[in-house]
Amino acid sequence: MSLVLYDYALDENCYKVRLLLSILGVPHETVAIDMFPGSEHRGPAFLALNPRGTLPALFADGLLLTGAEAILAYLAERFDESGTWLPADPAAFGAVLSWLHFAVDELSAAARARAHAMTDAPADEAAVVAAARAALRLMDDHMTKREFSGGRFFVGETPTIADLALFPAFALSRDYGIDHDEFPALRRWIRRVRAVSGFLTMPGIPDYH
Amino acid sequence: MSAGWYPLALADGIEPGTSAGTQLFGKELVVWRDAGGAAHVWEDRCPHRGMRLSFGFVRGDRIACLYHGWQFDGAGQCRAIPAHPHLDVPETIKVATYRVAERAGVIWAADAHTEAPEPAARDALTPIRSLYVDRPVAAVRAALAGAGFPGADGAPLPFAGDAGGLLAFGAPEPVLFAALQPFAAGRTALHILAVGAPAAEDRVALAGAAEVLRRALEGASALAEAAA
Ligand code: FES
């Protein structure tokens, strides 16, 4: 078996994949790509490997996988013996996929707001921050209601890849100017995610020493 | 901060050993609960370099700053500076603190020298949620007094007066209370509690009604016009 993750340490999508690899204890190799300021992911060498020019990219026994959420699903399907990170039950499976879609769609505003704040990537700052805040509100509304029946994670009784796909946008929200003050249910939720065995931090997500 | 007591959070929502940032009239405050369960409200600024203490972490009966780990006890007094482990920390390194009261399921704070009476106790309330709305507190209040609170079944719960800092809704007896926090200019937090012990699905319905209220207050609707 060979797994090679093309990775950029400051990228929240790469972080999602690093999180699951660590949680599931999957041995792998990492190749660092200098996304900023080097733009190495747009250079000929990387494009020859991944024509999309996107990170993260995972080579699994030669198979190229792109898109953090797709990679999460692949890793869960292949390596999660507990079967809980991507549950097979149709209702739970559908709910996890809905949140993965949310992470790619609505939360792209958070990724753009953060890239704009940290690397000056072009964006309509007010618009992307407002869209990210609206998305975080939906997440807080969801977790608020989940908690009434003892729900601790976005879907089901245990953490799923949905939690990992949603985690960075909130955990890193201060990078793009959104405080945690207005999201009490998400504050409680990220503490639960942090307590998952195998959890890793990244720059911007402190380690409480 | 003006005289009087202000609601900052639902008491249940601040778990022991955790901290949260909030604002009152635009001033940043940290609300934290020590491992023993006591709640504290302070200015949200580390005396060292001004980092928000709410970004830090609670250890036992102290909160530690995220930047350089200075630790503060429940009175706001700095007790440890990791870079100088043998230093006897001067008494002058202290965070400004507020008075705190936990009443009616809400954490309230007042100026350290307040003479205002503490908020009234009220039993048998169940927390629903804190709702953050981009509208000034006076407008939220006026809208709620006029239109009531959206009910779980769609029919509004009529406004039933102000009971010791809590707005009451429902007739003939109140079934819902809301405490209004003047968060910042143009922003209000509502801390919402239900009377009695509603079942989980009723709490979900009331939390959903609060989302309806937020949309109405912020959007183009009769309630927003009443709030204008
Ligand atoms: S800023 Fe708080 S310890 Fe340095």
Side-chain angles (χ1 to χ4, degrees):
Chain A
M1 172 187 100
S2 105
L3 280 188
V4 184
L5 174 66
Y6 288 79
D7 179 58
Y8 176 58
L10 297 180
D11 180 74
E12 67 264 41
N13 287 309
C14 293
Y15 172 57
K16 297 171 187 176
V17 174
R18 295 198 300 271
L19 265 177
L20 186 60
L21 286 167
S22 170
I23 289 168
L24 297 178
V26 180
H28 62 282
E29 226 182 285
T30 299
V31 178
I33 296 294
D34 177 16
M35 210 168 179
F36 184 83
S39 290
E40 209 184 327
H41 61 306
R42 301 288 181 196
F46 186 72
L47 289 177
L49 293 169
N50 173 12
R52 284 184 73 194
T54 53
L55 288 177
L58 184 78
F59 279 88
D61 302 322
L63 169 70
L64 167 66
L65 295 161
T66 57
E69 285 68 23
I71 296 173
L72 290 176
Y74 171 85
L75 291 172
E77 193 65 20
R78 179 160 171 201
F79 297 105
D80 170 27
E81 281 160 19
S82 71
T84 58
W85 286 89
L86 180 56
D89 165 69
F93 179 83
V96 168
L97 260 61
S98 292
W99 283 113
L100 294 185
H101 190 267
F102 183 92
V104 176
D105 191 344
E106 276 89 337
L107 288 182
S108 65
R112 286 206 303 279
R114 183 165 170 271
H116 178 69
M118 310 215 27
T119 69
D120 249 342
D124 175 344
E125 184 180 335
V128 288
V129 170
R133 183 168 173 240
L136 294 177
R137 274 183 169 186
L138 292 176
M139 289 165 59
D140 191 65
D141 291 346
H142 175 74
M143 281 312 300
T144 297
K145 289 180 279 195
R146 294 271 302 142
E147 285 184 335
F148 295 136
S149 49
R152 303 172 69 247
F153 296 98
F154 268 74
V155 179
E157 300 308 312
T158 57
T160 66
I161 57 174
D163 295 288
L164 303 185
L166 300 169
F167 180 80
F170 184 62
L172 295 165
S173 72
R174 288 153 176 162
D175 283 353
Y176 56 92
I178 295 184
D179 281 326
H180 287 184
D181 303 16
E182 295 186 332
F183 308 100
L186 295 184
R187 286 198 304 259
R188 292 186 288 271
W189 164 71
I190 56 168
R191 281 197 293 274
R192 293 174 205 130
V193 175
R194 295 183 67 107
V196 170
S197 143
F199 177 83
L200 296 173
T201 57
M202 69 167 271
I205 299 178
D207 202 358
Y208 297 142
H209 28 87
Chain B
M1 179 155 116
S2 353
W5 289 85
Y6 293 92
L8 298 183
L10 289 172
D12 257 30
I14 310 288
E15 297 164 329
T18 68
S19 60
T22 190
Q23 293 186 33
L24 191 61
F25 299 107
K27 185 179 171 66
E28 291 176 337
L29 302 177
V30 54
V31 183
W32 67 280
R33 198 184 284 289
D34 61 38
H40 307 271
V41 176
W42 298 353
E43 208 175 272
D44 198 7
R45 277 177 69 80
C46 178
H48 183 215
R49 297 259 177 93
M51 177 69 170
R52 286 189 81 176
L53 286 168
S54 56
F55 291 16
F57 47 96
V58 179
R59 286 286 176 272
D61 59 358
R62 295 180 180 179
I63 188 166
C65 178
L66 187 61
Y67 263 17
H68 316 96
W70 289 23
Q71 293 179 18
F72 303 88
D73 72 13
Q77 174 66 50
C78 184
R79 289 294 171 199
I81 295 180
H84 303 281
H86 303 299
L87 180 75
D88 205 6
V89 181
E91 295 287 315
T92 48
I93 304 182
K94 203 171 182 302
V95 187
T97 62
Y98 291 84
R99 278 186 65 191
V100 178
E102 290 197 50
R103 296 282 189 287
V106 170
I107 297 177
W108 308 77
D111 191 86
H113 308 292
T114 190
E115 297 191 351
E118 291 192 0
R122 185 180 288 277
D123 290 337
L125 297 182
T126 299
I128 299 300
R129 68 168 298 169
S130 296
L131 186 77
Y132 295 81
V133 179
D134 290 343
R135 298 291 299 160
V137 69
V140 170
R141 208 193 142 83
L144 288 169
F149 198 100
D153 59 359
L157 301 165
F159 178 60
D162 191 329
L166 295 168
L167 305 184
F169 301 93
E173 290 300 319
V175 296
L176 200 76
F177 289 99
L180 302 193
Q181 172 185 354
F183 190 92
R187 293 167 70 185
T188 303
L190 295 84
H191 305 288
I192 302 162
L193 305 108
V195 174
E201 62 263 31
D202 296 326
R203 294 171 80 190
V204 168
L206 286 168
E211 294 169 26
V212 170
L213 174 67
R214 184 180 61 207
R215 276 196 292 276
L217 287 169
E218 293 182 348
S221 74
L223 205 54
E225 275 157 36

